[in-house]
Amino acid sequence: MSAITALHDETLHTRLQAAIAQVNQVLLGKPRQIKLAFTCLIAGGHLLLEDVPGVGKTTLAHALAASFALDFQRVQFTSDLLPSDIIGVSVYERETGSFRFHPGPIFTGLLLADEINRATPKTQSALLEAMAEGQVTVDGQTHALSQPFFVVATQNPLDLNGTFSLPDSQLDRFMLRLSLDYPDAIAERALLTGSDRRDLLAQLQPQLDGAGLAALHHQAQAITVSAALLDYLQALLAASRRHADIRVGLSPRAGLALLGAARAWALLSHRTHVLPEDIQALFVPLAAHRLVPARGANGDSLARNLLAEVAVD
């Protein structure tokens, strides 16, 4: 056990707050998005960042990896990228007369899948098994990925030329979808007058490690959820499935993801139980990209409508 993870719970949470603080020092003016990213990581999910270039998506991924001492790999997704470029390939070795598997960049702690929607659906699908089951299969052989395994994927919603929309099955693998958006005037001035982000990233210190992250995950799973809270969660799921403007509502897997994220959000809020406000804070970034509109409605607006229509008993 490492020196970090051998610490007691109180010190573990102090380290967690230090990790959040140092990421906020690098990505200025985005405390809510950073809390959501930490929620996703602690809950064991994967994160989709959808935004214009240059607002800090890659910086956030680097800062998360550095704060948790996670191995980091970045893959630039392009139209000619092959599944083997991500997963790896079996190579015949003449000396042994057998094939040897050479792992690809997916064998890491944090994988940045940059501009994921520029790759073909076949290449996108290479991530499905890895994101759902923590393993990949090559030539009939299953290879377990390192744990923790966290995917941060980016896509640019404004640049549609040469892109392939993510299928519903791929979107469902992402626990949360976030937009960082432009910084406010104060944060932007600090960016313009402050140190280079690359220099700040190089100065980040690991506050936790993989085992510490696993300990936080287990603590989050122990957060109390009342029967009334589960009633509220189920009411939201049911409303999404019968809404006139929604063709495909939220699946049971989405419900489990919402419950897990709410527990992690409560942990980050220094509570031992989940509140309806936790569900409400997470519902749009968790549900909007999973909802399939019946007609030209927007997933974000549909998710907000569901929150407004479903009462808390």
Side-chain angles (χ1 to χ4, degrees):
M1 183 177 292
S2 71
I4 291 177
T5 53
L7 299 171
H8 54 75
D9 289 350
E10 182 178 350
T11 307
L12 191 66
H13 281 262
T14 300
R15 294 288 189 116
L16 174 60
Q17 295 307 312
I20 295 172
Q22 74 172 7
V23 175
N24 273 294
Q25 290 173 358
V26 175
L27 191 66
L28 300 177
K30 303 298 176 184
R32 182 176 181 274
Q33 289 93 329
I34 289 171
K35 184 177 179 180
L36 286 167
F38 272 80
T39 295
C40 190
L41 180 57
I42 292 172
H46 303 287
L47 182 63
L48 178 62
L49 299 175
E50 186 178 75
D51 220 321
V52 296
V55 294
K57 299 186 295 295
T58 302
T59 299
L60 174 58
H62 274 285
L64 288 171
S67 297
F68 284 90
L70 298 176
D71 293 334
F72 179 88
Q73 292 283 347
R74 176 182 178 272
V75 177
Q76 179 65 51
F77 278 60
T78 58
S79 59
D80 59 349
L81 190 72
L82 298 175
S84 58
D85 295 328
I86 304 170
I87 296 174
V89 63
S90 294
V91 177
Y92 181 76
E93 295 185 336
R94 183 178 302 175
E95 296 80 4
T96 61
S98 61
F99 285 88
R100 180 182 177 186
F101 178 65
H102 291 253
I106 202 170
F107 288 84
T108 188
L110 192 153
L111 175 69
L112 175 60
D114 210 2
E115 294 186 302
I116 187 174
N117 56 336
R118 287 192 176 278
T120 62
K122 180 178 181 180
T123 300
Q124 291 177 16
S125 68
L127 290 173
L128 291 177
E129 181 184 10
M131 294 173 69
E133 302 175 35
Q135 64 182 34
V136 296
T137 302
V138 180
D139 297 331
Q141 297 293 319
T142 298
H143 305 272
L145 298 175
S146 59
Q147 294 299 324
F149 171 65
F150 184 48
V151 174
V152 177
T154 72
Q155 63 174 348
N156 181 0
L158 299 182
D159 185 7
L160 301 179
N161 292 328
T163 62
F164 301 85
S165 298
L166 297 181
D168 296 338
S169 59
Q170 183 75 67
L171 287 171
D172 194 45
R173 297 301 196 275
F174 290 101
M175 177 176 280
L176 299 179
R177 185 194 64 175
L178 304 182
S179 174
L180 296 180
D181 207 354
Y182 295 112
D184 60 29
I186 296 175
E188 191 165 39
R189 177 60 65 91
L191 282 170
L192 293 171
T193 58
S195 301
D196 188 279
R197 298 299 102 179
R198 289 171 294 184
D199 294 336
L200 292 178
L201 285 172
Q203 297 169 13
L204 294 183
Q205 297 297 317
Q207 301 298 329
L208 291 159
D209 56 13
L213 179 57
L216 290 169
H217 176 67
H218 289 306
Q219 289 182 15
Q221 288 182 314
I223 295 290
T224 302
V225 178
S226 67
L229 193 285
L230 289 175
D231 289 340
Y232 178 51
L233 190 154
Q234 284 191 282
L236 286 168
L237 298 179
S240 75
R241 297 163 188 167
R242 63 171 181 263
H243 198 285
D245 294 329
I246 299 175
R247 181 162 55 88
V248 179
L250 298 175
S251 67
R253 179 161 56 190
L256 289 170
L258 180 55
L259 183 60
R263 282 181 158 132
W265 184 269
L267 179 74
L268 288 167
S269 303
H270 312 289
R271 279 185 277 102
T272 59
H273 58 282
V274 177
L275 297 175
E277 288 83 354
D278 301 328
I279 299 292
Q280 293 162 357
L282 293 161
F283 190 72
V284 174
L286 187 139
H289 63 287
R290 290 179 163 92
L291 298 172
V292 180
R295 36 191 179 270
N298 175 272
D300 290 74
S301 61
L302 288 174
R304 293 190 182 94
N305 290 341
L306 288 172
L307 279 178
E309 294 169 7
V310 178
V312 180
D313 292 332

